[in-house]
């Protein structure tokens, strides 16, 4: 995948984030599916970014364990660790839900999940502009 493929993935992910943000404003999002969508979208971004950097990860896809995708994504470029804490926050939400520990979640976790996803997108978009010459919006 070249820079144009990364641009396409980023545009698609941005569009899906806008849908989540609209759902958030309308109060129509449910936490568990929102967290799963956020994790799939972060995986999609990491996989696309890795591929354009010639670090393809064919054995993983957007439904793979996000921490496994992250390990392969960050390999060789520790500056990408900036994504780690945001990804861990989303995984924490998923784990809390799986354990029935909604009491351990932050206030308004749906909004936090969407905003965390947007934060990862913006960070990776900035990196893509800087490193691969993607056009600013």
């Amino acid at each position: 995948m070249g820079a144009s493929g990364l641009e396409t993935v980023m545009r698609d992910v941005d569009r899906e984030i806008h849908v989540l943000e609209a759902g958030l404003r309308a109060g129509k999002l449910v936490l568990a599916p929102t967290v799963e969508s956020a994790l799939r979208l972060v995986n999609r971004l990491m996989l696309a970014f890795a591929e354009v950097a010639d670090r393809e990860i064919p054995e993983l896809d957007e439904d793979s364990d996000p921490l496994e995708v992250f390990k392969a994504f960050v390999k060789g470029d520790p500056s990408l660790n900036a994504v780690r804490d945001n990804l861990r926050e989303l995984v924490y939400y998923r784990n809390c839900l799986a354990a029935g520990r909604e009491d351990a979640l932050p206030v308004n976790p749906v909004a936090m999940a969407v905003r965390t996803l947007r934060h990862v997108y913006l960070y990776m978009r900035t990196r893509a502009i800087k490193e691969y010459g993607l056009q600013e919006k």
Side-chain angles (χ1 to χ4, degrees):
M1 170 188 307
S4 65
L6 178 60
E7 178 67 36
T8 299
V9 169
M10 297 200 87
R11 189 176 26 252
D12 292 346
V13 169
D14 184 43
R15 196 173 10 256
E16 291 189 48
I17 295 170
H18 279 293
V19 169
L20 289 172
E21 290 168 335
L24 181 62
R25 285 189 298 277
K28 296 187 180 203
L29 294 184
V30 176
L31 182 59
T34 301
V35 169
E36 291 307 317
S37 290
L39 288 168
R40 273 193 309 280
L41 292 171
V42 171
N43 273 358
R44 192 181 306 166
L45 287 170
M46 290 188 296
L47 291 165
F49 207 92
E51 189 174 336
V52 80
D54 293 325
R55 286 179 286 149
E56 291 186 49
I57 314 165
E59 67 277 4
L60 300 172
D61 63 25
E62 68 181 55
D63 293 318
S64 296
D65 178 338
L67 297 176
E68 291 301 316
V69 174
F70 175 78
K71 282 194 300 187
F73 159 75
V74 76
K75 195 175 221 170
D77 189 351
S79 69
L80 293 170
N81 274 324
V83 172
R84 180 186 57 218
D85 291 338
N86 292 290
L87 179 61
R88 284 182 178 169
E89 181 176 351
L90 293 170
V91 170
Y92 173 77
Y93 294 174
R94 183 180 64 186
N95 291 345
C96 285
L97 291 169
R101 291 293 316 270
E102 288 83 1
D103 61 308
L105 291 167
V107 174
N108 202 354
V110 174
M112 292 297 293
V114 173
R115 290 182 182 123
T116 298
L117 171 59
R118 174 57 76 188
H119 181 78
V120 170
Y121 169 83
L122 291 172
Y123 173 78
M124 293 182 75
R125 177 85 192 167
T126 301
R127 291 283 302 252
I129 289 167
K130 185 174 156 184
E131 294 176 20
Y132 301 108
L134 268 59
Q135 299 299 310
E136 295 189 45
K137 288 184 180 181

